[in-house]
Amino acid sequence: MKLLAQQRHLQAKIPDIEKCLDIVATPQAKKSSGEALLADFEVFEGIYSRARIEDTDSVCLWLGANVILEYSCEEATTRLQKNLENAKASLEVLVADLQFLREQVTITWVMIAHVYNWDVHQKRIRQAGVLPKTFKGVVSARIMVGECVLLNESMTLISPFSIR
């Protein structure tokens, strides 16, 4: 569950970083065109004010934990680009890890089904009286990725099989 929570967090974080990059690019574009930037900001809950920003070389980025730092627009863009790349790379690794885990769960369930079916088959044979009554069944099973080997109580090979 922790990996899924991390995936949801990263999927929500990436659009926020992209939005911040767009917001940081806006003052730079307005500065190059010579226009003033009109911005609405929240003064208090439900109370907004309009500001006219004529020339700015810096922006403030919220880093979290009530910490805000002022960066130049170029530094802020660089930092946000690095954060975006890191978040995308982390998400890519996380998705690969989740896919690997899904495959392993599937393989494990198939192996369990094979062992169960083999046991049912052996019980039917025993009930039919084909095997001697001293046979006590499977004591251990060794499960590896893609292959299962069943051993009896004297650790001799009973039935190897693999998933294809």
Side-chain angles (χ1 to χ4, degrees):
M1 287 306 217
K2 186 177 180 183
L3 292 177
L4 292 174
Q6 287 177 353
Q7 182 184 23
R8 283 191 300 271
H9 173 72
L10 286 173
Q11 287 174 336
K13 186 177 180 181
I14 289 173
D16 289 343
I17 296 172
E18 290 171 342
K19 185 178 176 182
C20 287
L21 276 168
D22 291 340
I23 290 170
V24 169
T26 302
Q28 289 177 321
K30 294 289 184 173
K31 182 179 178 181
S32 64
S33 68
E35 294 179 40
L37 175 66
L38 291 176
D40 293 330
F41 61 95
E42 191 172 14
V43 177
F44 191 70
E45 189 176 319
I47 301 174
Y48 292 86
S49 180
R50 180 165 286 172
R52 182 182 173 103
I53 304 169
E54 294 197 17
D55 189 19
T56 184
D57 293 327
S58 63
V59 293
C60 293
L61 293 181
W62 180 331
L63 301 180
N66 293 328
V67 176
I68 297 176
L69 288 179
E70 185 175 359
Y71 290 98
S72 70
C73 290
E74 294 80 21
E75 288 175 330
T77 302
T78 303
R79 182 173 179 88
L80 289 170
Q81 283 287 353
K82 184 179 174 187
N83 289 351
L84 182 62
E85 290 170 8
N86 289 341
K88 285 183 178 180
S90 295
L91 183 62
E92 197 172 298
V93 168
L94 192 62
V95 167
D97 288 347
L98 285 169
Q99 182 60 34
F100 174 76
L101 286 174
R102 284 185 193 106
E103 290 172 3
Q104 294 305 306
V105 167
T106 302
I107 288 171
T108 301
W109 280 110
V110 169
M111 289 294 129
I112 289 170
H114 280 301
V115 170
Y116 177 79
N117 290 339
W118 183 86
D119 186 49
V120 168
H121 178 70
Q122 292 302 314
K123 286 179 182 177
R124 287 182 183 160
I125 291 174
R126 227 177 290 129
Q127 287 175 352
V130 177
L131 288 180
K133 293 182 181 181
T134 58
F135 181 75
K136 295 180 182 173
V138 175
V139 171
S140 65
R142 190 180 76 201
I143 298 177
M144 298 181 294
V145 175
E147 169 180 339
C148 183
V149 178
L150 298 175
L151 305 171
N152 68 8
E153 60 214 16
S154 63
M155 302 305 281
T156 57
L157 180 67
I158 295 174
S159 172
F161 54 90
S162 63
I163 297 175
R164 303 254 180 234

